Amino acid sequence: MKLTHEQRVELHGFNNLTKSLSFNMYDICYTRTKEEREAYIEYIDEQYNADRLTNILTNVSDIIGAHVLNVAKQDYVPQGASVTVLVSEGPVVEVPTESFAESPGPLPDNVVLQLDKSHITVHTYPEYHPDEGISTFRADIDVSTCGEISPLKALNYLIRSFDTDIMTIDFRVRGFTRDKNGHKLFIDHDISSIQNYIPDDIKEMFHMFDVNVYQENIFHTKCKLKEFDLNNYLFGYTKDKLSPEESEEITESLKLEMDEIFYGKNILN
């Protein structure tokens, strides 16, 4: 389907395609002692507690033009948090002319299109290796919408809401809707890559590659930070406190951890 962003498909009834965005981010840290690991987990739990996550998801609902119906949130013991937001159609303040365009979405001070029903969820997973000094924080966010707007328009804001070393992003369009003649439509806009919804300044910071199944409307993008500064991965101290041998050993350990997460497999030394 070749449509300009000014065009609309005239439908028979409501657009009931389901568009699902799964955004997974990882933060990696090196913690030498049990006390440092516990302090890192405590720091993450404070930074990304259920209240802050609720604020992030509420802003996402604003970006996709949704009305919040219900919020369920929970901080867990010993660590982690979850938030689920049920949303419905929001008021149409303005119909954007770029709703079909592959471009980064707005930040929360802008209001975009409408949708009928949807949900947004986030779960966090702070954890650490019991022996090797690696601590990680993972957040899984799912945005599922029905209607015209794409949840990919929330991606720009989500990326800027987390400090992330690695991102895994999945987008899928499911179901079908019908045009006024009854013809099934399995997608309502052209999409070539999730990367087109990521701003240039962020793309410059990451190595990225796609695995897309166009005929199934499945899109997948992985991202890993290009720059490596050991100081950004030490918790509570800087690399000038380490010997050159320690710095090299910790650097190798961190890079191996990131490569294994990025490629989704264990890598033998």
Side-chain angles (χ1 to χ4, degrees):
M1 181 192 325
K2 299 294 183 182
L3 293 174
T4 66
H5 58 255
E6 292 86 4
Q7 293 175 308
R8 297 290 185 275
V9 179
E10 190 172 348
L11 301 179
H12 173 71
F14 179 72
N15 184 337
N16 58 16
L17 287 167
T18 298
K19 303 168 188 174
S20 298
L21 168 68
S22 179
F23 172 70
N24 310 106
M25 60 74 57
Y26 299 84
D27 176 75
I28 316 299
C29 184
Y30 187 84
T31 48
R32 291 180 295 185
T33 66
K34 178 181 178 182
E35 290 72 25
E36 287 180 3
R37 290 193 284 271
E38 291 174 347
Y40 172 76
I41 296 297
E42 183 177 350
Y43 165 78
I44 288 295
D45 269 355
E46 179 63 28
Q47 284 291 105
Y48 298 104
N49 59 38
D51 287 338
R52 185 185 177 196
L53 295 172
T54 299
N55 182 63
I56 291 173
L57 297 197
T58 300
N59 285 333
V60 169
S61 71
D62 289 341
I63 287 170
I64 63 176
H67 173 68
V68 175
L69 295 175
N70 183 62
V71 177
K73 60 182 180 179
Q74 182 66 52
D75 288 303
Y76 296 109
V77 176
Q79 67 251 357
S82 294
V83 180
T84 299
V85 178
L86 180 66
V87 297
S88 68
E89 178 178 313
V92 181
V93 176
E94 176 185 359
V95 177
T97 59
E98 62 164 22
S99 62
F100 282 107
E102 288 186 85
S103 61
L107 296 176
D109 57 350
N110 297 317
V111 178
V112 296
L113 210 56
Q114 65 171 334
L115 68 164
D116 185 9
K117 52 183 104 43
S118 176
H119 66 269
I120 311 167
T121 64
V122 58
H123 305 282
T124 67
Y125 304 90
E127 65 88 37
Y128 55 83
H129 192 287
D131 303 315
E132 296 184 5
I134 296 290
S135 296
T136 63
F137 167 62
R138 181 176 112 238
D140 295 350
I141 300 172
D142 291 289
V143 184
S144 184
T145 69
C146 294
E148 190 171 321
I149 191 64
S150 171
L152 287 167
K153 290 295 185 178
L155 190 55
N156 179 18
Y157 169 69
L158 285 173
I159 293 172
R160 297 181 189 277
S161 297
F162 295 88
D163 293 324
T164 179
D165 298 306
I166 297 167
M167 299 181 291
T168 301
I169 308 164
D170 295 282
F171 177 67
R172 180 169 186 178
V173 182
R174 294 174 294 171
F176 64 87
T177 194
R178 294 182 186 272
D179 66 17
K180 64 179 182 178
N181 298 316
H183 182 70
K184 293 185 184 70
L185 303 173
F186 294 92
I187 192 167
D188 62 358
H189 65 289
D190 291 327
I191 172 173
S192 58
S193 173
I194 292 172
Q195 294 189 40
N196 295 331
Y197 292 85
I198 300 175
D200 289 340
D201 63 321
I202 293 176
K203 285 194 285 189
E204 290 174 0
M205 296 168 58
F206 288 86
H207 298 290
M208 297 185 177
F209 75 82
D210 288 355
V211 180
N212 300 323
V213 186
Y214 294 102
Q215 66 271 25
E216 299 293 338
N217 297 322
I218 298 173
F219 305 88
H220 176 78
T221 298
K222 283 188 174 183
C223 316
K224 185 176 72 168
L225 206 60
K226 293 178 181 178
E227 298 273 335
F228 183 91
D229 182 348
L230 183 56
N231 282 327
N232 294 332
Y233 298 91
L234 301 175
F235 189 75
Y237 57 96
T238 56
K239 62 184 179 183
D240 60 346
K241 305 296 184 183
L242 302 172
S243 68
E245 293 77 18
E246 286 178 309
S247 293
E248 183 178 353
E249 181 181 349
I250 293 171
T251 296
E252 289 179 0
S253 179
L254 286 165
K255 288 186 175 181
L256 176 62
E257 181 79 4
M258 287 188 282
D259 283 345
E260 289 184 340
I261 293 172
F262 184 64
Y263 292 109
K265 63 181 180 179
N266 291 306
I267 300 172
L268 298 177
N269 289 321

